[in-house]
Structure formats: C-alpha cells, structure tokens
Amino acid sequence: MHRSINLSRDAYVVSCVSNGHRVDLGVTETYGAAVVRAELHAEKLRAEYGALTTVTCDDGFHACYSGGHHTTYRVFLVGGGMDDSLA
C-alpha cells in the first residue's frame, strides 16, 4: 500500500523497533501528537510485558518493561513549512 504525505505542512513519522522489527505507527501533523501516539502504543504493550518505565532520548523515547522487554520509539520530521507560492 502506498501512502502519500502532503509535504506543504509539517509531518512527523512515528515508528518503533521491537524485537528487531521496525513498526510504522503512522504520520501526524505535530510533534506532540506523534509522541502521544507512541506513548499510547507503549501503554498497550504493558498488559503483555509488565510495568512500564520510559527514558527520553533526542528523537523519541525508550520503553522498558518489568518483564525484560525493551522498545525504542522514534519521531522524525519528514516535511513541512515551505510555501511554494512565495517563490
């Protein structure tokens, strides 16, 4: 499935790496919304992996679960801001 991103606005890609596999969690228009999306995903895994502790890093956070599982969440700016009508 091909997704198109409108790069005339800010777009943040949210993904995580868990058990060596990258998982795409989607695209948001704000950094804050992207972080919330990642936090909600991490919270859903708590039922399976135990109590959750997070450690913030430059471009996201690392989720550590009491059962020993670890997941890294990343947020990347992939577009935005330029108004072509001003050129």
Side-chain angles (χ1 to χ4, degrees):
M1 179 176 162
H2 175 60
R3 290 188 198 169
S4 142
I5 298 172
N6 180 355
L7 296 181
S8 66
R9 294 184 161 190
D10 287 347
Y12 294 86
V13 171
V14 185
S15 66
C16 70
V17 176
S18 182
N19 292 328
H21 299 284
R22 183 177 172 274
V23 178
D24 177 18
L25 299 177
V27 177
T28 67
E29 291 184 3
T30 66
Y31 181 83
V35 170
V36 168
R37 183 174 290 188
E39 289 171 341
L40 290 171
H41 186 269
E43 188 66 29
K44 284 197 304 190
L45 296 179
R46 201 166 57 100
E48 185 175 347
Y49 296 116
L52 170 64
T53 301
T54 61
V55 178
T56 303
C57 57
D58 287 340
D59 56 357
F61 65 92
H62 189 76
C64 308
Y65 296 90
S66 61
H69 185 76
H70 297 266
T71 301
T72 302
Y73 291 86
R74 302 269 189 230
V75 175
F76 297 98
L77 176 65
V78 293
M82 186 171 196
D83 184 353
D84 292 331
S85 67
L86 298 176

